[in-house]
């Protein structure tokens, strides 16, 4: 098990949207954070699959609202 804060998940979801144009939700942001944080554990020939199992449409007023994100606590 890995612990990911709401802020970490949010920032990764925003990053994916900005870099790849894929709008995702908190769950995908959390999985992406775990993947990138642990990327040094993978070998060159390893295959990694990230399934984006949620979209960000229902989070437009949260994840993609800079005021809301600025008020997220850091834990």
């Amino acid at each position: 098990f890995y612990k990911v804060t709401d802020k970490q998940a949010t920032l990764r979801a925003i990053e994916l949207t900005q870099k790849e144009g894929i709008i995702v939700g908190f769950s995908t942001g959390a999985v992406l954070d775990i993947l990138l944080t642990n990327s040094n554990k993978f070998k060159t020939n390893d295959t990694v699959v990230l399934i984006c199992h949620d979209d960000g449409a229902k989070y437009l007023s949260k994840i993609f609202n800079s005021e809301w994100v600025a008020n997220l606590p850091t834990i």
Side-chain angles (χ1 to χ4, degrees):
F1 290 98
Y2 293 92
K3 181 179 180 179
V4 177
T5 65
D6 289 343
K7 189 156 197 158
Q8 288 169 289
T10 300
L11 294 176
R12 290 297 188 182
I14 292 168
E15 180 181 354
L16 189 60
T17 300
Q18 290 174 339
K19 289 184 177 179
E20 302 296 334
I22 302 170
I23 300 175
V24 297
F26 291 105
S27 299
T28 299
V31 173
L32 181 61
D33 185 69
I34 293 165
L35 175 73
L36 294 175
T37 301
N38 292 285
S39 63
N40 61 332
K41 296 180 182 177
F42 301 116
K43 296 180 183 112
T44 304
N45 293 326
D46 286 349
T47 300
V48 178
V49 177
L50 169 65
I51 297 173
C52 300
H53 54 281
D54 58 352
D55 69 26
K58 59 186 169 201
Y59 302 113
L60 294 177
S61 64
K62 293 189 183 205
I63 293 177
F64 304 103
N65 176 335
S66 55
E67 185 178 322
W68 184 87
V69 172
N71 290 314
L72 275 171
T74 18
I75 297 174

